[in-house]
Amino acid sequence: MNKITLISPYFGKEFPPFFSVLVDSMINNPNINFVIPTNLPYKENGDYSNILFVRTDLHYLNNEIDSVLGYHARIDSPYKLVDFKPAYGTIFSKYIGNSDWWGYFDSDIIFGNISEFLTDDLLDMFDRVFTHGHLTLFRNNNTMNSLWNKNFNLPEVPSFKEVSTSKAIFAFDEWGWGKNKGRGISYALSNDKSIRQYDNNSWFADIIKDKFEFNTTSGENIDYFRYNKGNLTGYANNTEIKYLYVHFQKRSMINRVSSTELPIYITPNILDTKKNENQAELKRWISYQKDRKIHQKIANLNYWYLKRRLRFWHTEK
């Protein structure tokens, strides 16, 4: 059986509201090892035999990354780490030495049964699985572990040094921001036929962030999800869909779960042991989305983001 290690640094004042459910979903994937570098303690009851919490802080990690790169990386906020994900195989090499595969994942997801999807037969056929930043896996070898530093000779793909020394976010861990906005490593590898990539958007539920309902980027309209001890099911018009994971991008979720021993129902945007249809939650979500978009626009009005935009203005026809 292929040994897999997945890494997800998290730095902040507190873990996300439904982090305890994410942890339960990791525990219930005993064949997968998880590494969580973090500045926060985590002392909830549970069996963490396959989860390693590594106490550190962003400044210390930045210094470690600098020693790997040989120059100073600009990591002014935890969000900037998304651009460093493809280099995790090098940065966190001491945690993946015995693994056949390593990967990165976001903290705003909940896993289903990973091994049911990522079988040995599938993994033996490819070098990289999934092309999106919320979960991506790499075969653990020198070629795959050094892709982050490769010169792809594409004007629309920045070098890693350009990415790592800028304050702007490049979304380098996946496809980048699009035509004439800069591309990421998934785009670069789609032009490199020597790397065998696999992607299947129907395996995961990537929830569209700008709609209240659970609409996925692959076109499903999910009424609700049910999570129970490592099994994740979406329900759409009384049809059951098993998922590898669900991704709640930029959603402020409310966690009312007091125990993960019971089945958990996930509705927009509440986790509970019963199904919810809450109009008050819709009003809260609308207000939250307005504030989020205003904050994002203000955050993008700076020298670094303008420089990135101008850099790629005419890189593609």
Side-chain angles (χ1 to χ4, degrees):
M1 177 178 290
N2 280 282
K3 186 175 181 180
I4 301 171
T5 298
L6 300 178
I7 306 166
S8 182
Y10 188 88
F11 300 98
K13 295 181 180 179
E14 59 184 2
F15 286 111
F18 61 93
F19 189 72
S20 60
V21 182
L22 168 58
V23 169
D24 187 79
S25 74
M26 292 190 284
I27 292 171
N28 281 284
N29 278 286
N31 295 327
I32 313 295
N33 291 322
F34 299 90
V35 179
I36 315 291
T38 181
N39 63 311
L40 300 171
Y42 193 75
K43 299 180 180 179
E44 297 288 335
N45 294 327
D47 177 12
Y48 302 143
S49 60
N50 66 327
I51 307 174
L52 176 64
F53 288 92
V54 179
R55 288 298 297 273
T56 183
D57 59 44
L58 192 61
H59 177 73
Y60 182 80
L61 179 58
N62 201 155
N63 288 337
E64 286 194 321
I65 291 173
D66 288 353
S67 66
V68 170
L69 299 179
Y71 56 82
H72 179 59
R74 180 132 195 179
I75 308 176
D76 294 345
S77 70
Y79 185 35
K80 178 60 181 176
L81 286 174
V82 300
D83 286 333
F84 291 80
K85 286 179 179 179
Y88 281 2
T90 301
I91 296 169
F92 298 110
S93 59
K94 61 185 174 183
Y95 301 112
I96 67 168
N98 296 324
S99 297
D100 302 296
W101 286 78
W102 65 271
Y104 43 80
F105 66 100
D106 286 349
S107 58
D108 54 358
I109 70 174
I110 294 173
F111 289 108
N113 188 332
I114 298 175
S115 298
E116 187 176 328
F117 292 85
L118 302 183
T119 64
D120 283 345
D121 287 343
L122 176 80
L123 294 177
D124 289 345
M125 293 172 60
F126 297 98
D127 303 305
R128 188 173 187 250
V129 176
F130 299 136
T131 64
H132 306 277
H134 22 92
L135 176 66
T136 307
L137 293 91
F138 294 73
R139 186 178 296 280
N140 188 15
N141 60 37
N142 291 333
T143 298
M144 300 304 296
N145 294 357
S146 60
L147 285 176
W148 57 275
N149 207 28
K150 181 176 179 178
N151 181 4
F152 291 99
N153 294 310
L154 296 168
E156 63 269 36
V157 178
S159 69
F160 187 78
K161 187 168 187 178
E162 180 180 357
V163 170
S164 61
T165 55
S166 172
K167 187 176 180 179
I169 308 299
F170 287 73
F172 189 71
D173 58 318
E174 45 179 307
W175 290 91
W177 297 121
K179 186 176 180 179
N180 291 320
K181 295 180 182 179
R183 302 288 190 169
I185 195 166
S186 294
Y187 172 90
L189 292 177
S190 70
N191 291 273
D192 187 341
K193 304 307 178 185
S194 67
I195 305 299
R196 301 171 299 169
Q197 290 197 100
Y198 179 81
D199 208 1
N200 189 333
N201 290 2
S202 68
W203 281 8
F204 55 82
D206 182 23
I207 306 300
I208 296 173
K209 63 180 181 295
D210 295 324
K211 292 186 178 182
F212 178 70
E213 297 80 10
F214 283 161
N215 298 332
T216 73
T217 54
S218 57
E220 291 103 356
N221 300 321
I222 307 299
D223 299 320
Y224 65 94
F225 294 92
R226 184 180 186 269
Y227 167 79
N228 186 27
K229 291 298 175 186
N231 292 291
L232 179 68
T233 306
Y235 293 85
N237 296 322
N238 296 319
T239 299
E240 296 185 4
I241 308 171
K242 279 197 169 185
Y243 286 108
L244 192 159
Y245 67 93
V246 57
H247 176 221
F248 301 108
Q249 180 182 191
K250 293 181 172 59
R251 283 184 177 252
S252 178
M253 304 292 291
I254 296 174
N255 185 7
R256 295 177 180 168
V257 175
S258 58
S259 172
T260 55
E261 294 302 313
L262 297 172
I264 296 169
Y265 295 90
I266 309 171
T267 56
N269 292 300
I270 299 169
L271 292 87
D272 204 340
T273 51
K274 60 182 179 181
K275 286 188 286 185
N276 288 276
E277 293 182 5
N278 193 337
Q279 290 301 311
E281 170 54 20
L282 174 58
K283 293 179 180 179
R284 185 190 73 91
W285 179 83
I286 291 173
S287 176
Y288 169 80
Q289 285 292 89
K290 287 180 179 178
D291 291 343
R292 182 186 67 79
K293 290 178 180 179
I294 291 172
H295 176 77
Q296 183 174 340
K297 288 179 179 179
I298 293 173
N300 289 346
L301 293 175
N302 63 65
Y303 163 79
W304 294 100
Y305 278 77
L306 177 61
K307 182 180 179 181
R308 187 202 68 199
R309 188 70 180 89
L310 292 174
R311 155 73 171 83
F312 299 104
W313 191 258
H314 290 298
T315 54
E316 299 177 73
K317 295 181 179 179

